[in-house]
Amino acid sequence: MKSAVETLNPTRVRLSIEVPFEELKDSLDAAYKKINQQVTVKGFRKGKIPARVIDQRFGRGAVLEEAVNDALPKFYTEAVNEAEIDVLGQPEVDITELKDGETLNFTAEVDVRPTIEIPDYSGIEVEVDAVEVTDEDIEKSVEQLRERFASTSPVERAAEDGDVVTIDLEAKVDGEVLEDGVASGVSYTIGSGELLDGIDDAVKGLEAGGEATFTSELKGGSAAGKEAEVTVKVTQVAARELPALDDEFAQLASEFDTLEELRADSRKRLENMKQYDQATQAQERVLEKLLELVEVPVPEKLLEDEINTRKHNLEHHQLGQMGLDLEKYLEIQGKTAEEFDTETKDAAVKGIKTQFVLDELVKREKLNVNQEELTEHLMRRAASSGMSPDQFAQAVVEGGQVPLLVGEVARGKALAVVVEAATVKDTNGEVIDLDDDEDETAETVQAASEETPAEDKTEDTAEGKTEA
């Protein structure tokens, strides 16, 4: 076999491959054997039909077609390995010449990973938010904890803001009660915004036994997005009572003996959270600066596939679970289809560039992933997916996704190298010495690679991602 490579552009090549006919012998033998098992010829036992009879009865062309289909992947792979090119996706194959007994010539056009030059990145400087925890932040945190330990008691008066009401609901569309539009004994806190728009105004002022009707757009169910006439009946009004802010509350709500100790712990936790947010912000901004420094050509076919994957995941995973279609989602977002397409393309380009640049850094810095790093990353991914580590690991192995996880960790380590070399200052002008958690950095890389326009208002459940 002989092969030659022609560069069509920085991300696509054409392989021209010549195969002497004798190198097709194994594939021809396999073709005759396969046809033998599929056909019946009178006078011959199944599987024992001579090759000349198969040629006569079914045509030599059918045999050659089967043999070539069997041989092409092998010769294509040999040519790719011989040329030492890093291919992306499936090739477009064209048989240019097939002479029985003489030669097989074909071409294969395929996207390839572009050559990337990583410049000096040690001069990168970014600014991040300062870690500041105010007394107001602490009081808000303690108040949220206090809310969790609130108790309720029935009252004989009209419902007010903050009360917990027990209600029955019935929704009608076009005068017809929906099959999934009836609910009884629903507990709702007035002002929480957890149910339908307009329900707060409808139930405020009602006592137990009172009812009201209002119009609201349904957020889910069989008539999601439609205007419905909703009847709500209050069966009970209960007032919420917050526990007193004292040492007794601290002992009830935590492992601490005093309220002062509880507040001190709240300060420490808030500082840790803000430090985590600060580190994530630094990683994201350093990555943005790095991508600005590097010229990265993006393969058209890979970009097209990535855009389609993101749109599919949004429509059939994220929005489907919320009972929305794309048109309704765009209406809620206040975006046009053109704006959505532009955002999706920009996010896809960023994801592909992120992987290309960090993969190049992984090679340049000779970064490896050990079992401990992979296990730690797997456990974090399992926790974020709501699965046990064993369940997640089984799903990863069965889905052949281990290389994907290894790639995420390796890219995280590559970004950590860049962050360590960068200068990070907070808004107060103080230089921040980040103690980089490489697995945390891997999560930043993963988020950048998977970012979609839906992330600001929908939960990211998409599983599809570029693994270039």
Side-chain angles (χ1 to χ4, degrees):
M1 183 199 78
K2 293 192 298 183
S3 64
V5 181
E6 176 188 357
T7 299
L8 303 177
N9 61 50
T11 63
R12 194 165 179 85
V13 300
R14 178 187 293 124
L15 292 162
S16 298
I17 303 165
E18 299 179 16
V19 182
F21 206 80
E22 58 267 23
E23 293 187 31
L24 290 173
K25 182 180 183 307
D26 289 345
S27 293
L28 279 168
D29 290 344
Y32 279 118
K33 184 175 181 180
K34 183 175 180 179
I35 294 173
N36 240 308
Q37 299 299 322
Q38 294 175 338
V39 301
T40 301
V41 175
K42 190 175 181 180
F44 296 95
R45 286 183 296 164
K46 195 173 186 67
K48 299 295 183 180
I49 308 170
R52 59 179 175 77
V53 174
I54 291 176
D55 289 346
Q56 291 168 357
R57 295 291 298 272
F58 305 101
R60 174 71 167 174
V63 178
L64 289 175
E65 181 179 357
E66 182 66 39
V68 169
N69 288 338
D70 176 75
L72 282 179
K74 179 183 70 173
F75 292 117
Y76 166 73
T77 301
E78 286 182 12
V80 166
N81 293 337
E82 185 179 286
E84 297 182 340
I85 53 178
D86 194 349
V87 299
L88 302 168
Q90 297 301 312
E92 294 180 6
V93 176
D94 181 28
I95 298 174
T96 56
E97 186 177 34
L98 176 59
K99 290 185 178 179
D100 194 359
E102 294 184 28
T103 186
L104 163 66
N105 296 335
F106 69 96
T107 62
E109 286 192 21
V110 66
D111 285 336
V112 294
R113 187 180 291 266
T115 300
I116 298 174
E117 295 295 330
I118 306 291
D120 180 17
Y121 48 78
S122 61
I124 290 178
E125 292 188 11
V126 298
E127 184 180 75
V128 295
D129 295 335
V131 173
E132 296 175 345
V133 178
T134 66
D135 291 343
E136 184 180 347
D137 293 331
I138 296 169
E139 291 309 312
K140 183 178 178 181
S141 174
V142 173
E143 192 63 26
Q144 288 173 343
L145 182 61
R146 190 182 176 207
E147 291 277 350
R148 287 168 49 192
F149 284 85
S151 59
T152 60
S153 57
V155 292
E156 295 183 4
R157 59 166 172 77
E160 302 173 353
D161 268 327
D163 284 345
V164 178
V165 289
T166 304
I167 55 178
D168 298 336
L169 294 165
E170 180 184 84
K172 294 180 181 179
V173 173
D174 298 329
E176 297 290 329
V177 178
L178 300 172
E179 288 186 11
D180 55 354
V182 178
S184 300
V186 177
S187 181
Y188 175 67
T189 302
I190 300 175
S192 67
E194 294 174 351
L195 281 178
L196 300 168
D197 292 338
I199 194 169
D200 288 338
D201 291 336
V203 297
K204 276 191 292 187
L206 295 181
E207 298 183 17
E211 67 176 56
T213 300
F214 64 100
T215 301
S216 183
E217 183 179 295
L218 299 179
K219 297 179 179 180
S222 61
K226 293 185 178 181
E227 288 288 327
E229 182 182 84
V230 182
T231 299
V232 55
K233 180 178 180 180
V234 176
T235 59
Q236 179 180 277
V237 178
R240 299 177 75 248
E241 297 176 0
L242 298 175
L245 271 178
D246 52 22
D247 291 347
E248 187 176 338
F249 166 69
Q251 294 163 18
L252 170 69
S254 71
E255 71 271 29
F256 302 106
D257 293 327
T258 68
L259 184 60
E260 200 56 41
E261 289 175 329
L262 175 59
R263 285 196 171 106
D265 181 70
S266 295
R267 179 181 293 278
K268 183 177 180 181
R269 284 188 299 101
L270 288 171
E271 286 176 347
N272 289 339
M273 288 171 58
K274 292 198 174 189
Q275 285 171 350
Y276 178 90
D277 291 342
Q278 185 188 66
T280 301
Q281 192 178 65
Q283 293 154 10
E284 291 170 348
R285 293 182 179 179
V286 168
L287 177 59
E288 292 281 356
K289 291 282 189 179
L290 177 63
L291 294 181
E292 290 173 7
L293 290 176
V294 187
E295 186 68 31
V296 185
V298 177
E300 291 183 10
K301 184 65 168 60
L302 180 64
L303 177 58
E304 179 185 341
D305 290 345
E306 179 67 6
I307 290 172
N308 290 336
T309 295
R310 287 168 184 262
K311 287 184 175 180
H312 176 85
N313 286 335
L314 175 63
E315 292 189 60
H316 298 280
H317 292 278
Q318 293 169 266
L319 299 185
Q321 290 182 352
M322 299 169 66
L324 297 174
D325 58 18
L326 183 58
E327 183 179 355
K328 189 62 184 177
Y329 163 74
L330 293 179
E331 181 183 328
I332 294 171
Q333 294 278 306
K335 295 176 183 175
T336 64
E338 291 75 18
E339 289 171 335
F340 168 75
D341 287 342
T342 298
E343 288 184 5
T344 303
K345 180 179 179 180
D346 290 346
V349 168
K350 180 182 177 181
I352 293 171
K353 285 185 174 182
T354 296
Q355 290 198 9
F356 282 172
V357 170
L358 295 181
D359 284 345
E360 184 63 30
L361 272 170
V362 168
K363 287 196 299 183
R364 193 173 92 169
E365 301 292 339
K366 297 181 173 58
L367 301 174
N368 296 310
V369 177
N370 60 41
Q371 187 62 48
E372 182 180 351
E373 292 166 334
L374 181 60
T375 299
E376 184 177 350
H377 184 61
L378 184 148
M379 292 181 71
R380 289 202 186 191
R381 287 292 305 274
S384 65
S385 69
M387 301 169 67
S388 72
D390 288 343
Q391 289 174 325
F392 188 80
Q394 183 177 353
V396 166
V397 172
E398 291 178 354
Q401 300 298 301
V402 173
L404 186 147
L405 287 189
V406 172
E408 288 175 358
V409 178
R411 294 181 194 115
K413 296 180 74 170
L415 180 55
V417 170
V418 182
V419 172
E420 185 177 353
T423 300
V424 181
K425 294 182 179 180
D426 67 16
T427 49
N428 295 327
E430 297 290 330
V431 175
I432 306 300
D433 183 14
L434 294 171
D435 182 16
D436 288 316
D437 182 330
E438 289 168 352
D439 198 66
E440 176 189 314
T441 317
E443 292 177 357
T444 300
V445 173
Q446 180 193 347
S449 299
E450 297 178 0
E451 182 181 284
T452 71
E455 285 187 343
D456 54 342
K457 291 194 179 178
T458 60
E459 183 178 351
D460 184 11
T461 59
E463 293 299 323
K465 53 182 77 67
T466 302
E467 180 61 24

